[in-house]
Amino acid sequence: MAIFSVQARPTDAASWLDLARQVEAAGFDALLAADHPGHGASPFVALAAAAAVTSTLELGSYVSNAGVREPILLATDVATLDVVSGGRARLGLGAGHTPAEWRAVGRERPDVAGRVRRCIAVAEALRDLLAGKEVTVDTPELAAHAAQLAGFRPVQDRVPLTMGTGNSTLLRWAGAHADVVGLIGFGRTLPDGHRHEARWRADQIEAQLDHVAAGAAGRDAPPALEALVQQVTVTDDAEAAAAEFAEHAGLTTAELLATPFVLIGTEDEIVAAVAQHQRRWGITRFVVRADAVDSIGALLPRLSAAG
């Protein structure tokens, strides 16, 4: 069974609330908001507004930057969203990559190893805070002293955690601890600070999944695997529609169409591709952008049965 969610950026109240209602009515699992301080709306404020006009839709950040978010503040936001939504909050977390977000809070972006250590420390602190524990930690990556959600707790016993990453260490940590591993297929951040190298070839995807599996060894149940879909296009000519994106990503058209990070083709071809991704990779969850709500929404009954 394939599960689809929508990632979107609010720009005004009316369209955002309409989108929330539309996403829920269509049968999507969750509405997810990007978290880029200074370059978009606050995800948790926007998601709380969406909670007021929905009743079953799950709501979460996708993903919050552990490098610039402090655990007690992020835990408070997540717990508040869970309370006002009646237990529908999700937490998406990543190590962050955009240098401007660090500079905006008066710091320089650490190297990859430093960002990974910080992300794991924040994730572990968040897990404990949301479970009602007191957190004290004092390391070069993270400092918190007697932090606790005192007298205010989420509705859920465990708020689901999605770790969005392509880093090998974080994939292993997510395999061991996360509820969902958000596969982005991104490698090194390019000089503009926003774009990335694509690691979307079959051998690269398999290597990422090997890290998840290694981390999950010994768990009763492994985490769900989720792909962030960068392009959805319903077309009778998949190769032509994929050609420009493939060139941009440094892939052949065939390689691009074989990845779970795009869904391009006829409706039948997209349904078949989702089923193939489940069989080949074990990916059961997909996140699409807001511009794909209509096309994927119309296919959800078939996609939910794909496999």
Side-chain angles (χ1 to χ4, degrees):
M1 178 178 180
I3 296 171
F4 278 75
S5 298
V6 175
Q7 186 203 47
R9 290 172 176 261
T11 56
D12 63 85
S15 65
W16 176 249
L17 298 182
D18 284 347
L19 177 65
R21 296 185 188 99
Q22 181 185 3
V23 167
E24 181 173 74
F28 287 93
D29 184 64
L31 177 62
L32 309 169
D35 188 4
H36 294 290
H39 295 274
S42 163
F44 296 102
V45 174
L47 292 166
V53 299
T54 57
S55 59
T56 60
L57 191 66
E58 295 191 0
L59 304 155
S61 59
Y62 204 88
V63 292
S64 291
N65 180 348
V68 301
R69 295 289 195 187
E70 294 301 323
I72 188 61
L73 301 179
L74 190 51
T76 301
D77 283 341
V78 173
T80 303
L81 176 61
D82 204 49
V83 168
V84 301
S85 67
R88 292 184 280 140
R90 301 186 64 88
L91 169 60
L93 196 67
H97 61 87
T98 307
E101 292 183 3
W102 271 268
R103 290 195 292 271
V105 296
R107 302 200 300 270
E108 287 301 312
R109 185 186 69 170
D111 62 11
V112 172
R115 297 202 302 275
V116 167
R117 290 193 298 269
R118 164 82 183 193
C119 186
I120 291 173
V122 169
E124 292 176 344
L126 281 167
R127 181 182 56 192
D128 289 344
L129 288 166
L130 291 169
K133 298 179 181 180
E134 182 179 287
V135 172
T136 294
V137 59
D138 191 356
T139 69
E141 288 74 40
L142 178 66
H145 302 282
Q148 188 173 19
L149 295 180
F152 188 78
R153 293 284 311 285
V155 173
Q156 299 177 86
D157 291 333
R158 178 185 173 94
V159 175
L161 169 65
T162 297
M163 181 65 79
T165 186
N167 175 270
S168 58
T169 300
L170 287 179
L171 287 168
R172 289 192 295 273
W173 187 94
H177 302 288
D179 299 282
V180 178
V181 178
L183 300 168
I184 56 175
F186 290 156
R188 183 177 62 88
T189 304
L190 297 178
D192 67 5
H194 296 278
R195 295 178 301 126
H196 307 262
E197 292 178 344
R199 294 179 179 170
W200 290 359
R201 292 187 176 88
D203 60 332
Q204 294 171 320
I205 295 171
E206 289 167 359
Q208 293 169 56
L209 297 181
D210 285 345
H211 289 303
V212 176
R219 283 185 68 166
D220 292 337
L225 301 177
E226 181 173 79
L228 177 59
V229 180
Q230 300 292 337
Q231 179 178 340
V232 176
T233 303
V234 178
T235 175
D236 292 332
D237 192 343
E239 290 193 359
E244 182 177 351
F245 197 161
E247 182 178 0
H248 178 73
L251 304 172
T252 67
T253 301
E255 287 173 332
L256 181 71
L257 291 174
T259 76
F261 304 111
V262 302
L263 294 173
I264 302 173
T266 65
E267 291 185 349
D268 288 345
E269 287 170 339
I270 288 174
V271 171
V274 168
Q276 174 65 10
H277 299 325
Q278 291 184 76
R279 290 191 296 270
R280 182 175 188 181
W281 313 115
I283 296 170
T284 58
R285 303 179 66 97
F286 299 82
V287 176
V288 299
R289 313 291 193 184
D291 60 5
V293 167
D294 289 336
S295 55
I296 293 297
L299 290 175
L300 278 180
R302 296 178 63 190
L303 291 167
S304 296

